[in-house]
Amino acid sequence: MADQANPAANAQAQGPSGQLSIQKIYVKDLSFEAPNTPGVFTEQLNPSVDIHFSNETSELGENQYEVVLQVTVTVKQDERSIYLVEAKQAGIFTISGFPAEHLPAILATACPNILFPYVREVVSDIVVKGGFPQILLAPVNFDMLYAQELQRRQGEQANPVVN
């Protein structure tokens, strides 16, 4: 029985019918803000950490795609900002030979999985260079996030909001 929620896994299970290759991996955008330094360095902190992920894809040409994985890390003490990191890690991928219906899953799962270790390193490095303790982003299950997004969309189609 095929897994409807994960076409990328199905494509892998069916054998090497398609090809995904990395052309380039690069930092597209990086921002670090620590608005309350140097004062925060002298305080005893117990901050809250909020991490958000998103990705976007653009077609560059035949079988060529740019995938951008964005991570936003917000660290606050109560309502006061300690630091904010916004990083966009991008890659150019050549994807060919897969059925067209599998392409969205590949772009939303396989490509972000490739980019994640790079963006994790970028975030960790910039936080340390900003004078703060290292932050290590926990692994992310992009397959599960994609499946949840598909379910959310199906729920919206089944229950449209009427104003």
Side-chain angles (χ1 to χ4, degrees):
M1 176 184 258
D3 182 359
Q4 296 288 331
N6 193 345
N10 291 340
Q12 291 171 350
Q14 293 171 359
S17 63
Q19 185 175 24
L20 168 73
S21 59
I22 304 166
Q23 302 305 313
K24 188 93 158 149
I25 293 180
Y26 54 98
V27 175
K28 186 163 184 141
D29 192 12
L30 179 60
S31 171
F32 176 81
E33 299 173 22
N36 292 299
T37 56
V40 295
F41 295 136
T42 63
E43 299 174 21
Q44 184 71 16
L45 299 175
N46 186 19
S48 63
V49 179
D50 187 30
I51 301 172
H52 289 280
F53 292 93
S54 65
N55 64 342
E56 55 188 55
T57 302
S58 56
E59 189 170 355
L60 302 176
E62 186 175 341
N63 299 327
Q64 292 248 311
Y65 302 87
E66 179 191 51
V67 177
V68 180
L69 176 60
Q70 180 172 336
V71 178
T72 303
V73 179
T74 306
V75 177
K76 291 183 173 186
Q77 177 71 38
D78 301 316
E79 290 302 311
R80 191 171 49 126
S81 181
I82 304 301
Y83 65 82
L84 171 70
V85 178
E86 293 178 324
K88 289 184 178 182
Q89 185 72 47
I92 298 174
F93 299 90
T94 300
I95 303 170
S96 61
F98 291 99
E101 65 270 12
H102 293 183
L103 187 60
I106 293 167
L107 292 168
T109 62
C111 296
N113 275 316
I114 292 168
L115 295 172
F116 182 75
Y118 294 94
V119 77
R120 177 175 37 204
E121 180 181 15
V122 166
V123 169
S124 179
D125 286 352
I126 197 69
V127 168
V128 170
K129 288 178 181 177
F132 296 95
Q134 181 182 40
I135 186 167
L136 294 174
L137 302 177
V140 176
N141 186 338
F142 291 102
D143 295 316
M144 182 187 71
L145 293 176
Y146 180 68
Q148 288 174 344
E149 178 63 16
L150 287 179
Q151 286 179 336
R152 185 189 67 77
R153 288 180 187 175
Q154 289 172 350
E156 285 178 359
Q157 290 174 352
N159 301 315
V161 176
V162 179
N163 289 334

